[in-house]
Amino acid sequence: MPTTAKICGLTTIETLDAALAGGASHVGLNFFPPSPRNLSADQARMLAARTPDQVHRVGVFVDPDDALLDMAIAAGRLDILQFHKTAPARIAEVARRTGLATWAAIAIKTRADLDHARDVAGAASAILYDAKTPDNAALPGGMGVRFDWSLLDGFRHPLPWALSGGLDADNVAEAIARTGATLVDVSSGVETAPGVKDVDKIAAFLRALIRSG
């Protein structure tokens, strides 16, 4: 199965167009105010309107309340909800209420962190393995940190999964070969500064993905 890509944290038409032109299967729209990638309802509507239906629109959240979820789902025409630092019971509740697919982000630093993947097996539709950021970090992801991919060796994934954390055009082929990931997620690896996506970096990442197949 060819590996596909989610370009996460898009904020402008130009970078969205670069993601679509390069063949991204998913686009990530962030709804977390402390993030430099956070979107207003108007921005989300603008990006969603330009995204064809065959490309998945993923809303990225950090333990959101219902009001934020409802706004984002409507404005971003979301079909997938990605949760960071959110309890499995809450993810399951949102899945039941909205009927949408849910991804649970699991922060990885040691093999023991993979135990949390089993915790969300009955709640989420899929798992996003991401690198654990420092305890004092303002953001739960999108900081260019990667984890040791060998930690996934031999692990029996309880759900479909995607790989994130420190990916860029230079290492994505190695990451896919090492882990067998069929979906990869990039944010800071296609930026020139936090929250500032670069059309050339997006294009290079997606070209590297195609070559890896």
Side-chain angles (χ1 to χ4, degrees):
M1 181 184 296
T3 301
T4 57
K6 169 173 165 267
I7 308 297
C8 195
L10 294 164
T11 58
T12 67
I13 291 294
E14 293 76 17
T15 53
L16 172 67
D17 285 350
L20 298 176
S25 58
H26 298 67
V27 293
L29 308 179
N30 288 31
F31 299 94
F32 181 53
S35 171
R37 307 168 186 96
N38 182 58
L39 295 176
S40 67
D42 286 344
Q43 288 174 302
R45 274 191 287 269
M46 175 185 66
L47 296 173
R50 200 172 178 89
T51 304
D53 287 340
Q54 67 267 27
V55 176
H56 295 288
R57 292 174 294 274
V58 184
V60 181
F61 303 92
V62 180
D63 200 19
D65 60 23
D66 285 347
L68 177 59
L69 281 168
D70 292 345
M71 177 280 288
I73 291 168
R77 294 166 48 206
L78 304 178
D79 47 18
I80 299 172
L81 309 178
Q82 176 182 319
F83 294 99
H84 293 255
K85 297 186 175 180
T86 306
R90 172 62 172 156
I91 296 173
E93 173 196 344
V94 171
R96 286 191 299 269
R97 188 172 72 84
T98 65
L100 297 177
T102 53
W103 293 0
I106 304 296
I108 305 296
K109 185 175 182 180
T110 69
R111 181 77 178 205
D113 292 323
L114 290 171
D115 291 340
H116 297 297
R118 299 184 182 92
D119 296 338
V120 300
S125 312
I127 292 167
L128 178 72
Y129 295 116
D130 199 359
K132 183 175 285 187
T133 55
D135 291 340
N136 61 350
L139 305 176
M143 299 182 67
V145 180
R146 60 176 276 189
F147 66 92
D148 180 358
W149 300 322
S150 70
L151 295 174
L152 297 177
D153 289 354
F155 183 66
R156 296 185 62 180
H157 305 283
L159 290 171
W161 61 279
L163 182 68
S164 186
L167 299 178
D168 57 32
D170 293 330
N171 66 19
V172 66
E174 178 191 357
I176 293 166
R178 187 69 181 79
T179 67
T182 57
L183 175 61
V184 292
D185 184 340
V186 65
S187 184
S188 61
V190 291
E191 292 180 340
T192 55
V196 183
K197 293 287 185 292
D198 182 88
V199 295
D200 294 329
K201 286 179 177 286
I202 292 171
F205 182 87
L206 293 168
R207 283 196 301 270
L209 188 69
I210 293 169
R211 289 196 298 269
S212 74

